[in-house]
Amino acid sequence: MAAVTETLDTVQSVTQSGYKWGFETTIEMDFAPKGLNEDIIRLISTRKEEPEWMLEWRLKAYAAWLKMEEPHWARVDHPPIDYQDLHYYAAPKKKAGPKSLDEVDPELLKMYEKLGIPLKERAILAGVDPDTVENTQVAVDAVFDSVSVATTFQATLRKAGVIFCPISEAVRDHPELVKQYLGTVVPTGDNFFAALNSAVFTDGSFVYIPKGVRCPMELSTYFRINARNTGQFERTLIIAEAGSHVSYLEGCTAPQRDENQLHAAVVELVAMDDAQIKYSTVQNWYPGDANGKGGIYNFVTKRGACRGARSKISWTQVETGSAITWKYPSCVLHGEDSVGEFYSVAVTNNHQQADTGTKMIHIGKGSRSTIISKGISAGHSNNTYRGLVRMLPSATNARNFTQCDSLLIGDQCGAHTVPYIESRNLTAKVEHEATTSKIADDQLFYCRQRGLSEEDAVGLIVNGFCKDVLKELPMEFAVEAQKLLAVSLEGSVG
Amino acid sequence: MLDIRGLAASINDKPILKGIDLVVPQGEVHALMGPNGSGKSTLGYVLSGREDYEVTAGTVTFNGVDLLTMEPEQRAAAGVFLAFQAPVELPGVNNANFLRTALNAIRRAHGEPELDAVQFLKLARAETKRLAMPDDMLKRNVNVGFSGGEKKRNEVLQMAILRPKLAILDETDSGLDIDALKIVADGVNALRGPEFSALVITHHQRLLDHLVPNRVHVLAHGRIVRSGGPELAKELEKSGYAGLIAEAA
Ligand SMILES: Nc1ncnc2c1ncn2[C@@H]1O[C@H](COP(=O)(O)OP(=O)(O)O)[C@@H](O)[C@H]1O
Ligand SMILES: [Mg+2]
């Protein structure tokens, strides 16, 4: 609730500082030369100390990628990407970041504070290196706190039998699991960006929840210390054995700037009998400036396989960042009575472009899926919902419900809804509802008459519009997400 | 004190208000009556700062400050409250959250500490109870799925919680049953005091029986054509507006 009343301050601070990643210090990097070839892939694999089978897997993906073409069916527009002009491996050297919170741009910290991010997380987000702060005073507690939090977490998880580690570590320490599941949900040749990711991925998370285990805490990338240097090509694999439960939080509401323009992540989820995976994302990459210059291209492949009976995979996403978002978190519902859910808020402002949605592939008898998509467009942006619901002949009595709402702010933006429905089973039911609305002048005036500023009013109305999705987010995330929505729409009215 | 002088306003270049002179002293409740389309709602909107209306002449001050140069939210902070003739729906926006945000915005403008959720709920529940409204009014989304009467009562609840210095009620009694009508009157009467004034737009003597206005004004064709004491409303109820307007023309 406080989120909304604080919006005014937040908006003002953002207006003054713009989208600010305060310390553009020359971080020393360990770069591979630009370009992509087999040698670069070998270099990545060597740096990650990978076994031979992993290298072969990468090379196979690379060979597939070479034969593929960049897709252009999405409603997004960008200059051609020169794949030979990118670095595919860059590891920041140690001791590069600020040594304590004292050295971090106070504006940046203020922004984190406004977004309600706890002190310890602020330090990590600001890039304070835990290894170098031992002798400095102020930040010590904060940073040490985060280290100890992470350590305590690891101990609790180990006790429950849960594995939560960087994927590169999993390749080395749990090869049998990685081999068994990697690429089984998103095959290496699935699409152009997935193939590229498979060849060159450098980081991401690995999660394994053993049979019958309820993961004792929400797994957040915050607490994986090395997650602060998120890579360009992240790879995440989550396996939930029969009867297990896990909730995973990706990203954070703090602004994240990255010099890497192209991001192509792959996320694979596997849920066995009665297992449940809840995957929540808040994506706030740099969207580019008000004129559409710069910004991240975010081409993501996320897919979950409900392999077991009564298994459930639930995707919740709040997408406010990136210049271009191309993302369709999907569920393949193999299991009888399995459940797929997709809850999405996608906000575009200025010149942002988002083409996002989901695919629900119903294979199992009685499988059910729910899609709730809220698209908000402001400025000169374009926001497209693209969703596929496919009922295969085996999907007897399967059901889907789709609700797809668009909210327009101003008259220079676009909202598009592209549903694809394919049903090959007569007993399957597919329902689709769609609405498009504008924030009406009388709504704004009503709020302002009661004392709210125009920005506060927009924040309130937008949050109301997104309520059905925001309530699916874990508590703390939901509060941050509310504030983030208001910040993202800064300057969109008046 | 609300002091309106020579106020003229138009919408889409169509003049609606054509020179209004009206004074509501502090502590007084005035009724504004007049036929449909005479400009009563327009006056409410102009006083509260709706942007569609263009003020073409005149001045409006409230307790000595110029209202017309202020943004709507600044006027709200100065104590101006409009109970809308047609309250607006805000889907997904919880009534309590909406009201707390509004109240805190006003408190901030006055340099007063904001209320946290617990403090606010205590206050809001007390008002809901006093106005004999169901508790779930606070939990529901602002005006969404409300009956006509519920919407009007929600306006009164908002007024009770925001405690304005100048309340403009635009036909808040229309379409209400007798019990609900009493809630509206109670809502206004509860705020009555030396620092509170109200302009109550109504067609019905029934409301004025409960409210007993200090003055009654009749608006026709964008002008105040007649002002008088409470007995004027009674007279209008018998004879209608027609004679009065003809007389003024
Ligand atoms: N948007 C508009 N464009 C043109 N005329 C309008 C508009 N809104 C109101 N009016 C006109 O202004 C006049 C006064 O309306 P209103 O103030 O609502 O009257 P009342 O509340 O006394 O019934 C009416 O003739 C109405 O048709
Ligand atoms: Mg009216």
Side-chain angles (χ1 to χ4, degrees), chain A residues 1-2 4-5 442-443 445-446 448-452 460 464 467, chain B residues 50-51 71 73 76 80 82 89 92 100 102 105 108 141 143 155 158:
Chain A
M1 287 206 196
V4 178
T5 52
D442 63 350
Q443 289 177 319
F445 177 68
Y446 190 70
R448 295 179 74 191
Q449 202 304 301
R450 297 304 186 242
L452 275 68
L460 203 69
K467 196 178 203 167
Chain B
R50 189 159 187 158
E51 276 151 9
E71 295 292 326
E73 58 270 33
V80 176
L82 172 66
E89 298 184 6
R100 186 162 79 92
R108 248 194 337 260
N141 292 336
N143 296 325
E155 297 290 289
Q158 294 186 30

PDB file of all heavy atoms in Angstrom, chain A residues 1-2 4-5 442-443 445-446 448-452 460 464 467, chain B residues 50-51 71 73 76 80 82 89 92 100 102 105 108 141 143 155 158:
ATOM      1  N   MET A   1       0.817  -1.200   0.000  1.00  0.00           N
ATOM      2  CA  MET A   1       0.000   0.000   0.000  1.00  0.00           C
ATOM      3  C   MET A   1       0.852   1.252   0.000  1.00  0.00           C
ATOM      4  O   MET A   1       0.597   2.174  -0.743  1.00  0.00           O
ATOM      5  CB  MET A   1      -0.888  -0.002   1.225  1.00  0.00           C
ATOM      6  CG  MET A   1      -2.018  -1.009   1.109  1.00  0.00           C
ATOM      7  SD  MET A   1      -3.363  -0.439   2.143  1.00  0.00           S
ATOM      8  CE  MET A   1      -4.334  -1.888   2.263  1.00  0.00           C
ATOM      9  N   ALA A   2       1.861   1.223   0.853  1.00  0.00           N
ATOM     10  CA  ALA A   2       2.732   2.384   0.917  1.00  0.00           C
ATOM     11  C   ALA A   2       3.356   2.647  -0.447  1.00  0.00           C
ATOM     12  O   ALA A   2       3.725   3.767  -0.764  1.00  0.00           O
ATOM     13  CB  ALA A   2       3.825   2.167   1.946  1.00  0.00           C
ATOM     14  N   VAL A   4       2.194   3.037  -3.281  1.00  0.00           N
ATOM     15  CA  VAL A   4       1.593   4.054  -4.112  1.00  0.00           C
ATOM     16  C   VAL A   4       1.864   5.461  -3.590  1.00  0.00           C
ATOM     17  O   VAL A   4       2.150   6.368  -4.349  1.00  0.00           O
ATOM     18  CB  VAL A   4       0.088   3.796  -4.253  1.00  0.00           C
ATOM     19  CG1 VAL A   4      -0.539   4.878  -5.085  1.00  0.00           C
ATOM     20  CG2 VAL A   4      -0.136   2.448  -4.892  1.00  0.00           C
ATOM     21  N   THR A   5       1.808   5.595  -2.281  1.00  0.00           N
ATOM     22  CA  THR A   5       2.018   6.933  -1.758  1.00  0.00           C
ATOM     23  C   THR A   5       3.461   7.383  -1.939  1.00  0.00           C
ATOM     24  O   THR A   5       3.742   8.561  -1.963  1.00  0.00           O
ATOM     25  CB  THR A   5       1.651   7.000  -0.263  1.00  0.00           C
ATOM     26  OG1 THR A   5       2.347   5.960   0.396  1.00  0.00           O
ATOM     27  CG2 THR A   5       0.175   6.871  -0.064  1.00  0.00           C
ATOM     28  N   ASP A 442     -11.605  11.040 -17.028  1.00  0.00           N
ATOM     29  CA  ASP A 442     -12.435  11.204 -15.833  1.00  0.00           C
ATOM     30  C   ASP A 442     -11.883  10.401 -14.660  1.00  0.00           C
ATOM     31  O   ASP A 442     -12.039  10.785 -13.511  1.00  0.00           O
ATOM     32  CB  ASP A 442     -13.924  10.919 -16.102  1.00  0.00           C
ATOM     33  CG  ASP A 442     -14.203   9.511 -16.528  1.00  0.00           C
ATOM     34  OD1 ASP A 442     -13.245   8.775 -16.811  1.00  0.00           O
ATOM     35  OD2 ASP A 442     -15.394   9.135 -16.588  1.00  0.00           O
ATOM     36  N   GLN A 443     -11.178   9.291 -14.961  1.00  0.00           N
ATOM     37  CA  GLN A 443     -10.526   8.542 -13.873  1.00  0.00           C
ATOM     38  C   GLN A 443      -9.395   9.368 -13.259  1.00  0.00           C
ATOM     39  O   GLN A 443      -9.256   9.450 -12.040  1.00  0.00           O
ATOM     40  CB  GLN A 443      -9.961   7.220 -14.390  1.00  0.00           C
ATOM     41  CG  GLN A 443     -11.039   6.204 -14.746  1.00  0.00           C
ATOM     42  CD  GLN A 443     -10.446   4.943 -15.317  1.00  0.00           C
ATOM     43  OE1 GLN A 443      -9.510   4.980 -16.108  1.00  0.00           O
ATOM     44  NE2 GLN A 443     -10.996   3.801 -14.918  1.00  0.00           N
ATOM     45  N   PHE A 445      -9.073  12.608 -13.340  1.00  0.00           N
ATOM     46  CA  PHE A 445      -9.603  13.769 -12.641  1.00  0.00           C
ATOM     47  C   PHE A 445     -10.194  13.376 -11.286  1.00  0.00           C
ATOM     48  O   PHE A 445     -10.010  14.071 -10.292  1.00  0.00           O
ATOM     49  CB  PHE A 445     -10.655  14.502 -13.490  1.00  0.00           C
ATOM     50  CG  PHE A 445     -11.254  15.669 -12.758  1.00  0.00           C
ATOM     51  CD1 PHE A 445     -10.475  16.787 -12.472  1.00  0.00           C
ATOM     52  CD2 PHE A 445     -12.568  15.649 -12.317  1.00  0.00           C
ATOM     53  CE1 PHE A 445     -10.997  17.855 -11.758  1.00  0.00           C
ATOM     54  CE2 PHE A 445     -13.104  16.717 -11.618  1.00  0.00           C
ATOM     55  CZ  PHE A 445     -12.321  17.818 -11.339  1.00  0.00           C
ATOM     56  N   TYR A 446     -10.868  12.254 -11.284  1.00  0.00           N
ATOM     57  CA  TYR A 446     -11.464  11.773 -10.025  1.00  0.00           C
ATOM     58  C   TYR A 446     -10.373  11.602  -8.957  1.00  0.00           C
ATOM     59  O   TYR A 446     -10.516  12.052  -7.823  1.00  0.00           O
ATOM     60  CB  TYR A 446     -12.177  10.450 -10.284  1.00  0.00           C
ATOM     61  CG  TYR A 446     -13.038   9.933  -9.157  1.00  0.00           C
ATOM     62  CD1 TYR A 446     -14.224  10.561  -8.822  1.00  0.00           C
ATOM     63  CD2 TYR A 446     -12.671   8.796  -8.446  1.00  0.00           C
ATOM     64  CE1 TYR A 446     -15.032  10.075  -7.800  1.00  0.00           C
ATOM     65  CE2 TYR A 446     -13.476   8.292  -7.427  1.00  0.00           C
ATOM     66  CZ  TYR A 446     -14.659   8.939  -7.110  1.00  0.00           C
ATOM     67  OH  TYR A 446     -15.451   8.447  -6.109  1.00  0.00           O
ATOM     68  N   ARG A 448      -7.353  12.962  -8.934  1.00  0.00           N
ATOM     69  CA  ARG A 448      -6.708  14.241  -8.599  1.00  0.00           C
ATOM     70  C   ARG A 448      -7.630  15.079  -7.715  1.00  0.00           C
ATOM     71  O   ARG A 448      -7.175  15.781  -6.821  1.00  0.00           O
ATOM     72  CB  ARG A 448      -6.349  15.006  -9.882  1.00  0.00           C
ATOM     73  CG  ARG A 448      -5.299  14.293 -10.707  1.00  0.00           C
ATOM     74  CD  ARG A 448      -4.984  15.052 -11.976  1.00  0.00           C
ATOM     75  NE  ARG A 448      -4.187  16.236 -11.703  1.00  0.00           N
ATOM     76  CZ  ARG A 448      -3.954  17.183 -12.604  1.00  0.00           C
ATOM     77  NH1 ARG A 448      -4.473  17.100 -13.815  1.00  0.00           N
ATOM     78  NH2 ARG A 448      -3.211  18.216 -12.283  1.00  0.00           N
ATOM     79  N   GLN A 449      -8.934  14.998  -7.940  1.00  0.00           N
ATOM     80  CA  GLN A 449      -9.861  15.745  -7.100  1.00  0.00           C
ATOM     81  C   GLN A 449      -9.733  15.285  -5.643  1.00  0.00           C
ATOM     82  O   GLN A 449      -9.927  16.055  -4.714  1.00  0.00           O
ATOM     83  CB  GLN A 449     -11.305  15.552  -7.590  1.00  0.00           C
ATOM     84  CG  GLN A 449     -12.275  16.646  -7.170  1.00  0.00           C
ATOM     85  CD  GLN A 449     -12.345  16.888  -5.680  1.00  0.00           C
ATOM     86  OE1 GLN A 449     -12.667  15.999  -4.901  1.00  0.00           O
ATOM     87  NE2 GLN A 449     -12.038  18.129  -5.270  1.00  0.00           N
ATOM     88  N   ARG A 450      -9.358  14.026  -5.466  1.00  0.00           N
ATOM     89  CA  ARG A 450      -9.210  13.511  -4.102  1.00  0.00           C
ATOM     90  C   ARG A 450      -7.840  13.849  -3.512  1.00  0.00           C
ATOM     91  O   ARG A 450      -7.565  13.484  -2.379  1.00  0.00           O
ATOM     92  CB  ARG A 450      -9.424  12.001  -4.069  1.00  0.00           C
ATOM     93  CG  ARG A 450     -10.829  11.571  -4.482  1.00  0.00           C
ATOM     94  CD  ARG A 450     -11.918  12.234  -3.639  1.00  0.00           C
ATOM     95  NE  ARG A 450     -13.238  11.706  -3.950  1.00  0.00           N
ATOM     96  CZ  ARG A 450     -14.236  12.420  -4.439  1.00  0.00           C
ATOM     97  NH1 ARG A 450     -14.075  13.707  -4.715  1.00  0.00           N
ATOM     98  NH2 ARG A 450     -15.407  11.863  -4.674  1.00  0.00           N
ATOM     99  N   GLY A 451      -6.967  14.446  -4.327  1.00  0.00           N
ATOM    100  CA  GLY A 451      -5.684  14.893  -3.776  1.00  0.00           C
ATOM    101  C   GLY A 451      -4.463  14.210  -4.365  1.00  0.00           C
ATOM    102  O   GLY A 451      -3.333  14.562  -4.041  1.00  0.00           O
ATOM    103  N   LEU A 452      -4.666  13.217  -5.233  1.00  0.00           N
ATOM    104  CA  LEU A 452      -3.530  12.509  -5.805  1.00  0.00           C
ATOM    105  C   LEU A 452      -2.908  13.305  -6.950  1.00  0.00           C
ATOM    106  O   LEU A 452      -3.621  13.921  -7.740  1.00  0.00           O
ATOM    107  CB  LEU A 452      -3.977  11.150  -6.357  1.00  0.00           C
ATOM    108  CG  LEU A 452      -4.052   9.987  -5.380  1.00  0.00           C
ATOM    109  CD1 LEU A 452      -5.159  10.177  -4.382  1.00  0.00           C
ATOM    110  CD2 LEU A 452      -4.293   8.705  -6.154  1.00  0.00           C
ATOM    111  N   LEU A 460      -1.699   4.289  -9.506  1.00  0.00           N
ATOM    112  CA  LEU A 460      -2.801   3.593  -8.843  1.00  0.00           C
ATOM    113  C   LEU A 460      -3.675   2.839  -9.856  1.00  0.00           C
ATOM    114  O   LEU A 460      -4.020   1.680  -9.658  1.00  0.00           O
ATOM    115  CB  LEU A 460      -3.640   4.637  -8.103  1.00  0.00           C
ATOM    116  CG  LEU A 460      -4.501   4.200  -6.950  1.00  0.00           C
ATOM    117  CD1 LEU A 460      -3.636   3.781  -5.781  1.00  0.00           C
ATOM    118  CD2 LEU A 460      -5.417   5.340  -6.525  1.00  0.00           C
ATOM    119  N   GLY A 464      -4.001  -1.157 -10.332  1.00  0.00           N
ATOM    120  CA  GLY A 464      -5.314  -1.784 -10.276  1.00  0.00           C
ATOM    121  C   GLY A 464      -5.530  -2.691 -11.474  1.00  0.00           C
ATOM    122  O   GLY A 464      -5.994  -3.824 -11.347  1.00  0.00           O
ATOM    123  N   LYS A 467      -3.636  -5.965 -11.052  1.00  0.00           N
ATOM    124  CA  LYS A 467      -3.819  -6.646  -9.773  1.00  0.00           C
ATOM    125  C   LYS A 467      -3.826  -8.172  -9.859  1.00  0.00           C
ATOM    126  O   LYS A 467      -3.161  -8.854  -9.087  1.00  0.00           O
ATOM    127  CB  LYS A 467      -5.142  -6.180  -9.178  1.00  0.00           C
ATOM    128  CG  LYS A 467      -5.296  -6.476  -7.727  1.00  0.00           C
ATOM    129  CD  LYS A 467      -6.628  -5.916  -7.284  1.00  0.00           C
ATOM    130  CE  LYS A 467      -6.679  -5.660  -5.807  1.00  0.00           C
ATOM    131  NZ  LYS A 467      -7.849  -4.855  -5.473  1.00  0.00           N
TER     132      LYS A 467
ATOM    133  N   ARG B  50     -11.452  20.894 -13.203  1.00  0.00           N
ATOM    134  CA  ARG B  50     -11.437  19.985 -14.344  1.00  0.00           C
ATOM    135  C   ARG B  50     -10.950  20.712 -15.595  1.00  0.00           C
ATOM    136  O   ARG B  50     -11.412  21.806 -15.915  1.00  0.00           O
ATOM    137  CB  ARG B  50     -12.823  19.411 -14.575  1.00  0.00           C
ATOM    138  CG  ARG B  50     -12.781  18.330 -15.597  1.00  0.00           C
ATOM    139  CD  ARG B  50     -13.923  17.393 -15.542  1.00  0.00           C
ATOM    140  NE  ARG B  50     -13.617  16.338 -16.487  1.00  0.00           N
ATOM    141  CZ  ARG B  50     -14.118  15.140 -16.474  1.00  0.00           C
ATOM    142  NH1 ARG B  50     -14.970  14.807 -15.557  1.00  0.00           N
ATOM    143  NH2 ARG B  50     -13.771  14.245 -17.363  1.00  0.00           N
ATOM    144  N   GLU B  51     -10.015  20.066 -16.309  1.00  0.00           N
ATOM    145  CA  GLU B  51      -9.317  20.786 -17.377  1.00  0.00           C
ATOM    146  C   GLU B  51     -10.136  21.015 -18.645  1.00  0.00           C
ATOM    147  O   GLU B  51      -9.825  21.905 -19.432  1.00  0.00           O
ATOM    148  CB  GLU B  51      -8.006  20.057 -17.740  1.00  0.00           C
ATOM    149  CG  GLU B  51      -6.882  20.472 -16.802  1.00  0.00           C
ATOM    150  CD  GLU B  51      -5.826  19.377 -16.614  1.00  0.00           C
ATOM    151  OE1 GLU B  51      -5.876  18.372 -17.337  1.00  0.00           O
ATOM    152  OE2 GLU B  51      -4.974  19.555 -15.732  1.00  0.00           O
ATOM    153  N   GLU B  71      -3.810  23.498  -9.423  1.00  0.00           N
ATOM    154  CA  GLU B  71      -4.094  22.178  -9.987  1.00  0.00           C
ATOM    155  C   GLU B  71      -5.206  21.527  -9.153  1.00  0.00           C
ATOM    156  O   GLU B  71      -5.372  21.864  -7.972  1.00  0.00           O
ATOM    157  CB  GLU B  71      -2.846  21.289  -9.902  1.00  0.00           C
ATOM    158  CG  GLU B  71      -1.666  21.758 -10.738  1.00  0.00           C
ATOM    159  CD  GLU B  71      -1.952  21.645 -12.224  1.00  0.00           C
ATOM    160  OE1 GLU B  71      -2.673  20.704 -12.625  1.00  0.00           O
ATOM    161  OE2 GLU B  71      -1.464  22.504 -12.985  1.00  0.00           O
ATOM    162  N   GLU B  73      -5.342  18.732  -7.630  1.00  0.00           N
ATOM    163  CA  GLU B  73      -4.864  18.120  -6.384  1.00  0.00           C
ATOM    164  C   GLU B  73      -4.478  19.177  -5.353  1.00  0.00           C
ATOM    165  O   GLU B  73      -4.569  18.956  -4.145  1.00  0.00           O
ATOM    166  CB  GLU B  73      -3.713  17.137  -6.632  1.00  0.00           C
ATOM    167  CG  GLU B  73      -2.487  17.686  -7.307  1.00  0.00           C
ATOM    168  CD  GLU B  73      -2.552  17.569  -8.836  1.00  0.00           C
ATOM    169  OE1 GLU B  73      -3.670  17.663  -9.411  1.00  0.00           O
ATOM    170  OE2 GLU B  73      -1.482  17.401  -9.453  1.00  0.00           O
ATOM    171  N   ALA B  76      -7.673  20.176  -3.811  1.00  0.00           N
ATOM    172  CA  ALA B  76      -8.079  19.152  -2.843  1.00  0.00           C
ATOM    173  C   ALA B  76      -7.317  19.350  -1.543  1.00  0.00           C
ATOM    174  O   ALA B  76      -7.890  19.258  -0.456  1.00  0.00           O
ATOM    175  CB  ALA B  76      -7.821  17.757  -3.414  1.00  0.00           C
ATOM    176  N   VAL B  80     -10.924  21.457  -0.888  1.00  0.00           N
ATOM    177  CA  VAL B  80     -12.078  21.384  -1.791  1.00  0.00           C
ATOM    178  C   VAL B  80     -12.406  19.922  -2.091  1.00  0.00           C
ATOM    179  O   VAL B  80     -11.520  19.141  -2.462  1.00  0.00           O
ATOM    180  CB  VAL B  80     -11.796  22.133  -3.116  1.00  0.00           C
ATOM    181  CG1 VAL B  80     -12.968  21.959  -4.080  1.00  0.00           C
ATOM    182  CG2 VAL B  80     -11.508  23.596  -2.848  1.00  0.00           C
ATOM    183  N   LEU B  82     -15.295  17.459  -4.147  1.00  0.00           N
ATOM    184  CA  LEU B  82     -16.470  17.364  -5.005  1.00  0.00           C
ATOM    185  C   LEU B  82     -17.044  15.951  -4.913  1.00  0.00           C
ATOM    186  O   LEU B  82     -16.348  14.980  -5.236  1.00  0.00           O
ATOM    187  CB  LEU B  82     -16.090  17.686  -6.462  1.00  0.00           C
ATOM    188  CG  LEU B  82     -17.166  17.444  -7.526  1.00  0.00           C
ATOM    189  CD1 LEU B  82     -18.349  18.399  -7.353  1.00  0.00           C
ATOM    190  CD2 LEU B  82     -16.590  17.588  -8.942  1.00  0.00           C
ATOM    191  N   GLU B  89     -15.519   4.773 -11.827  1.00  0.00           N
ATOM    192  CA  GLU B  89     -15.045   3.454 -11.401  1.00  0.00           C
ATOM    193  C   GLU B  89     -13.535   3.332 -11.611  1.00  0.00           C
ATOM    194  O   GLU B  89     -13.008   3.768 -12.634  1.00  0.00           O
ATOM    195  CB  GLU B  89     -15.746   2.361 -12.216  1.00  0.00           C
ATOM    196  CG  GLU B  89     -17.245   2.352 -11.996  1.00  0.00           C
ATOM    197  CD  GLU B  89     -17.949   1.209 -12.720  1.00  0.00           C
ATOM    198  OE1 GLU B  89     -17.253   0.348 -13.299  1.00  0.00           O
ATOM    199  OE2 GLU B  89     -19.187   1.182 -12.688  1.00  0.00           O
ATOM    200  N   GLY B  92      -9.893  -2.590 -10.022  1.00  0.00           N
ATOM    201  CA  GLY B  92      -8.699  -3.145  -9.369  1.00  0.00           C
ATOM    202  C   GLY B  92      -8.125  -2.272  -8.273  1.00  0.00           C
ATOM    203  O   GLY B  92      -7.179  -2.658  -7.615  1.00  0.00           O
ATOM    204  N   ARG B 100      -6.624   5.998   1.447  1.00  0.00           N
ATOM    205  CA  ARG B 100      -5.439   6.252   2.265  1.00  0.00           C
ATOM    206  C   ARG B 100      -4.410   7.035   1.453  1.00  0.00           C
ATOM    207  O   ARG B 100      -3.765   7.962   1.953  1.00  0.00           O
ATOM    208  CB  ARG B 100      -4.819   4.940   2.761  1.00  0.00           C
ATOM    209  CG  ARG B 100      -3.667   5.194   3.729  1.00  0.00           C
ATOM    210  CD  ARG B 100      -3.354   3.956   4.532  1.00  0.00           C
ATOM    211  NE  ARG B 100      -2.568   3.001   3.781  1.00  0.00           N
ATOM    212  CZ  ARG B 100      -1.236   2.989   3.807  1.00  0.00           C
ATOM    213  NH1 ARG B 100      -0.558   3.858   4.525  1.00  0.00           N
ATOM    214  NH2 ARG B 100      -0.574   2.087   3.112  1.00  0.00           N
ATOM    215  N   ALA B 102      -5.061   9.058  -0.959  1.00  0.00           N
ATOM    216  CA  ALA B 102      -5.566  10.428  -1.080  1.00  0.00           C
ATOM    217  C   ALA B 102      -5.354  11.199   0.221  1.00  0.00           C
ATOM    218  O   ALA B 102      -4.830  12.320   0.232  1.00  0.00           O
ATOM    219  CB  ALA B 102      -7.050  10.397  -1.445  1.00  0.00           C
ATOM    220  N   ALA B 105      -1.773  12.012   0.748  1.00  0.00           N
ATOM    221  CA  ALA B 105      -1.310  13.074  -0.160  1.00  0.00           C
ATOM    222  C   ALA B 105      -1.690  14.437   0.420  1.00  0.00           C
ATOM    223  O   ALA B 105      -0.898  15.385   0.427  1.00  0.00           O
ATOM    224  CB  ALA B 105      -1.911  12.884  -1.555  1.00  0.00           C
ATOM    225  N   ARG B 108       0.399  15.105   3.527  1.00  0.00           N
ATOM    226  CA  ARG B 108       1.758  15.501   3.117  1.00  0.00           C
ATOM    227  C   ARG B 108       1.790  16.977   2.742  1.00  0.00           C
ATOM    228  O   ARG B 108       2.679  17.714   3.129  1.00  0.00           O
ATOM    229  CB  ARG B 108       2.211  14.670   1.923  1.00  0.00           C
ATOM    230  CG  ARG B 108       3.333  13.732   2.248  1.00  0.00           C
ATOM    231  CD  ARG B 108       4.038  13.142   1.039  1.00  0.00           C
ATOM    232  NE  ARG B 108       3.337  13.092  -0.208  1.00  0.00           N
ATOM    233  CZ  ARG B 108       2.741  12.002  -0.700  1.00  0.00           C
ATOM    234  NH1 ARG B 108       2.731  10.881  -0.013  1.00  0.00           N
ATOM    235  NH2 ARG B 108       2.141  12.040  -1.870  1.00  0.00           N
ATOM    236  N   ASN B 141     -13.462  -2.587  -4.817  1.00  0.00           N
ATOM    237  CA  ASN B 141     -12.774  -1.671  -5.718  1.00  0.00           C
ATOM    238  C   ASN B 141     -13.604  -0.409  -5.913  1.00  0.00           C
ATOM    239  O   ASN B 141     -14.829  -0.464  -5.942  1.00  0.00           O
ATOM    240  CB  ASN B 141     -12.510  -2.349  -7.065  1.00  0.00           C
ATOM    241  CG  ASN B 141     -11.487  -3.460  -6.918  1.00  0.00           C
ATOM    242  OD1 ASN B 141     -10.669  -3.440  -5.984  1.00  0.00           O
ATOM    243  ND2 ASN B 141     -11.528  -4.414  -7.821  1.00  0.00           N
ATOM    244  N   ASN B 143     -15.948   2.030  -6.568  1.00  0.00           N
ATOM    245  CA  ASN B 143     -17.192   2.169  -7.341  1.00  0.00           C
ATOM    246  C   ASN B 143     -17.488   1.050  -8.337  1.00  0.00           C
ATOM    247  O   ASN B 143     -18.501   1.095  -9.035  1.00  0.00           O
ATOM    248  CB  ASN B 143     -17.230   3.518  -8.085  1.00  0.00           C
ATOM    249  CG  ASN B 143     -17.241   4.692  -7.120  1.00  0.00           C
ATOM    250  OD1 ASN B 143     -17.842   4.604  -6.053  1.00  0.00           O
ATOM    251  ND2 ASN B 143     -16.559   5.763  -7.473  1.00  0.00           N
ATOM    252  N   GLU B 155     -19.276   8.283  -1.977  1.00  0.00           N
ATOM    253  CA  GLU B 155     -18.827   9.673  -2.034  1.00  0.00           C
ATOM    254  C   GLU B 155     -18.911  10.319  -0.651  1.00  0.00           C
ATOM    255  O   GLU B 155     -18.026  11.051  -0.236  1.00  0.00           O
ATOM    256  CB  GLU B 155     -19.673  10.490  -3.025  1.00  0.00           C
ATOM    257  CG  GLU B 155     -19.577  10.040  -4.479  1.00  0.00           C
ATOM    258  CD  GLU B 155     -18.225  10.344  -5.103  1.00  0.00           C
ATOM    259  OE1 GLU B 155     -17.909  11.516  -5.354  1.00  0.00           O
ATOM    260  OE2 GLU B 155     -17.478   9.376  -5.332  1.00  0.00           O
ATOM    261  N   GLN B 158     -16.117   9.002   1.499  1.00  0.00           N
ATOM    262  CA  GLN B 158     -14.851   9.664   1.151  1.00  0.00           C
ATOM    263  C   GLN B 158     -14.794  11.057   1.768  1.00  0.00           C
ATOM    264  O   GLN B 158     -13.767  11.474   2.300  1.00  0.00           O
ATOM    265  CB  GLN B 158     -14.694   9.743  -0.370  1.00  0.00           C
ATOM    266  CG  GLN B 158     -14.541   8.383  -1.017  1.00  0.00           C
ATOM    267  CD  GLN B 158     -14.249   8.475  -2.504  1.00  0.00           C
ATOM    268  OE1 GLN B 158     -13.639   9.438  -2.957  1.00  0.00           O
ATOM    269  NE2 GLN B 158     -14.684   7.500  -3.260  1.00  0.00           N
TER     270      GLN B 158
END
